[in-house]
Amino acid sequence: MSESEFPDAFAQARKYIGVEKMDDQNDPVQMVLRFQDVRKCAHNWKSFQSGAEPGRIVVPSEVAIRSIRQIPFEVDPPAHKGYRTLVEPWFKRPLKAEYTNKLKHIVDDALDEAFSVPEFDVVTDFALPIQSKALAVLLNTPSKEAETWISWGTHVFRSEGEALDGDKANLLYGYLDSEIERASNEPVDDLYSLLLSAEVNGKKMTREEVKGVMILTFAGGRDTVINAITNIVAYFAEHVEELKKLKGDEPAIKKAVEELVRYFSPLTHMGRVATEDKVVCQHTVKSDTRISLCWASANRDEQVFENPNNVILDRKNNPHVAFGFGVHNCLGSTHARQLLRALIAAMAERVDNIQLLNANINLEQWGSVTRKVGFHQLTACFLGS
Ligand code: EMZ
């Protein structure tokens, strides 16, 4: 299999069963696999809630390492709306030219660095620094903060060989406490200060709520963005002619980003907790048990996507759910899209050739299904100017 090939791991289960049952720390999950079912369940926030015990909708569950609710992600309507409305304009700043320019600089610096060495690891030397520096732009905090975040590695709650790492999580929590303290002593134009001064649903945001938004901002767009960047590099390494065709063509780059995130689906799934007994795709879901909305499977559903296992960069009809669906659709998607567009634009402009030298693929295990989601390590050589 070539490095840029990501098989449809759920094909059989989706076609014949519709769900995949898995255990997760003794709190089982029924993964919902078909596109229409995924969208229906995502839409039905009354029966399938996000506002369960903090950490429980994440798979693997983070209940053991997190007691703080991520906001707005783990809040249900109607309370959800006040939080989402508050943060939405901030998370739309990526549409401004000044913001896009900053992203372009980050990507250009990463390419300069890549061209200057014979080989490097795309995950830790390219994707991770881009993700972290871009996060500093999103928060509007000094870019040197990114150095600290880079030192945490690709995931804030997980470390190699350990599904969940409480010590690592505490690093993030401690860091956020001190940043919240800083911003409350001396407010500036950053996300912390905005949140600390905000009122939601008629009440001032508590520090715990501010921390909840910040944890989401740090955790939600980390491994997902890193996987997206690395997988895109792997893809264009093996399809460099397609990359060159995108040069200077903004509308084509936009379509390409949508298709690549559909194909790679950097976030495999997200859970919900049933508030009542339900039947999904002829399977019983008991009250207070978990389902997950499997974006990765829905995005390969042959009922919806023609030739779902082919990357068709100018795919016409592409209602993918890589950024989720419904009221909880990805808050960071504007930022992620702008970053990936900037990355592809710069690569199309400057890269002549990419050689992949060595790969260690990242396989996830969900019940009986093994899914390739990205790379632990991808050594590459970039040629260009
Ligand atoms: C949660 C999640 C959000 C979770 C959109 O995804 O991302 C995961 O990587 C985190 O571990 O806590 O933020």
Side-chain angles (χ1 to χ4, degrees):
M1 186 173 63
S2 68
E3 300 307 346
S4 65
E5 204 177 320
F6 283 65
D8 173 13
F10 299 99
Q12 298 297 311
R14 180 179 60 246
K15 187 163 179 195
Y16 296 109
I17 312 168
V19 300
E20 172 71 21
K21 297 183 190 210
M22 59 167 283
D23 180 51
D24 171 27
Q25 302 160 71
N26 299 318
D27 190 3
V29 180
Q30 295 195 68
M31 304 174 73
V32 178
L33 302 178
R34 294 181 186 157
F35 183 90
Q36 293 303 351
D37 293 327
V38 165
R39 290 225 297 200
K40 253 200 338 227
C41 294
H43 184 70
N44 184 0
W45 52 264
K46 282 192 178 145
S47 308
F48 300 111
Q49 62 167 176
S50 296
E53 185 186 355
R56 194 170 172 214
I57 62 166
V58 183
V59 192
S61 164
E62 292 171 353
V63 165
I65 56 157
R66 177 156 67 78
S67 56
I68 294 183
R69 185 172 296 286
Q70 290 185 16
I71 296 174
F73 162 67
E74 292 176 319
V75 180
D76 287 304
H80 170 265
K81 187 153 199 243
Y83 294 109
R84 181 81 190 213
T85 309
L86 165 72
V87 292
E88 194 83 51
W90 185 272
F91 283 83
K92 288 272 188 255
R93 286 161 59 258
L95 295 174
K96 295 186 178 159
E98 185 200 348
Y99 192 108
T100 317
N101 276 336
K102 288 183 186 168
L103 296 182
K104 182 175 176 345
H105 278 299
I106 290 169
V107 169
D108 275 328
D109 286 351
L111 284 178
D112 288 344
E113 177 73 27
F115 294 142
S116 75
V117 293
E119 60 178 71
F120 63 93
D121 177 15
V122 179
V123 180
T124 52
D125 303 331
F126 189 78
L128 173 61
I130 291 178
Q131 183 277 339
S132 293
K133 290 176 193 171
L135 178 61
V137 179
L138 179 61
L139 305 186
N140 206 29
T141 51
S143 60
K144 69 167 178 14
E145 288 304 302
E147 289 164 25
T148 307
W149 312 335
I150 291 168
S151 75
W152 296 342
T154 51
H155 203 288
V156 290
F157 294 133
R158 288 175 224 158
S159 45
E160 208 144 339
E162 224 176 324
L164 295 168
D165 184 340
D167 293 338
K168 208 166 178 186
N170 286 331
L171 253 175
L172 171 66
Y173 303 153
Y175 173 84
L176 291 178
D177 284 336
S178 68
E179 282 294 278
I180 290 168
E181 186 62 30
R182 170 194 58 74
S184 81
N185 292 334
E186 218 172 302
V188 287
D189 181 24
D190 64 9
L191 180 57
Y192 302 95
S193 309
L194 170 93
L195 297 170
L196 284 163
S197 67
E199 267 191 20
V200 172
N201 304 329
K203 272 191 264 149
K204 194 140 194 271
M205 290 268 277
T206 65
R207 280 198 181 203
E208 170 138 334
E209 287 175 322
V210 172
K211 199 168 162 183
V213 176
M214 297 311 302
I215 295 175
L216 174 61
T217 309
F218 272 84
R222 197 173 180 87
D223 51 326
T224 44
V225 169
I226 291 168
N227 281 335
I229 294 173
T230 310
N231 298 351
I232 284 174
V233 168
Y235 182 77
F236 286 124
E238 292 176 347
H239 301 86
V240 77
E241 289 315 314
E242 288 195 50
L243 177 63
K244 289 178 183 164
K245 274 194 251 157
L246 294 174
K247 187 170 165 177
D249 190 341
E250 261 184 59
I253 291 173
K254 282 189 179 173
K255 277 198 171 152
V257 165
E258 298 311 308
E259 175 65 352
L260 290 163
V261 296
R262 177 194 71 83
Y263 183 75
F264 296 130
S265 296
L267 181 69
T268 301
H269 57 162
M270 184 48 70
R272 297 287 189 265
V273 175
T275 56
E276 55 183 329
D277 289 356
K278 292 289 286 182
V279 173
V280 177
C281 187
Q282 296 170 15
H283 299 270
T284 309
V285 177
K286 287 266 172 222
S287 178
D288 197 40
T289 67
R290 302 195 292 165
I291 62 164
S292 83
L293 312 170
C294 189
W295 319 120
S297 170
N299 281 341
R300 299 290 181 97
D301 193 330
E302 41 285 286
Q303 305 293 322
V304 178
F305 301 98
E306 231 173 273
N307 298 320
N309 300 316
N310 296 351
V311 175
I312 303 168
L313 291 183
D314 62 351
R315 186 179 284 279
K316 303 272 164 322
N317 196 9
N318 193 355
H320 71 78
V321 287
F323 291 112
F325 182 77
V327 293
H328 290 291
N329 71 70
C330 178
L331 180 61
S333 63
T334 312
H335 171 82
R337 284 184 159 114
Q338 294 294 72
L339 179 59
L340 299 178
R341 288 167 187 166
L343 172 71
I344 294 178
M347 282 175 60
E349 197 77 42
R350 300 183 54 191
V351 168
D352 294 329
N353 186 23
I354 301 172
Q355 268 174 280
L356 301 179
L357 304 172
N358 186 27
N360 176 5
I361 64 176
N362 182 358
L363 295 173
E364 302 174 327
Q365 190 67 41
W366 308 112
S368 64
V369 174
T370 307
R371 173 174 194 247
K372 175 178 168 189
V373 67
F375 299 86
H376 290 300
Q377 175 239 317
L378 182 68
T379 311
C381 165
F382 275 42
L383 296 177
S385 53

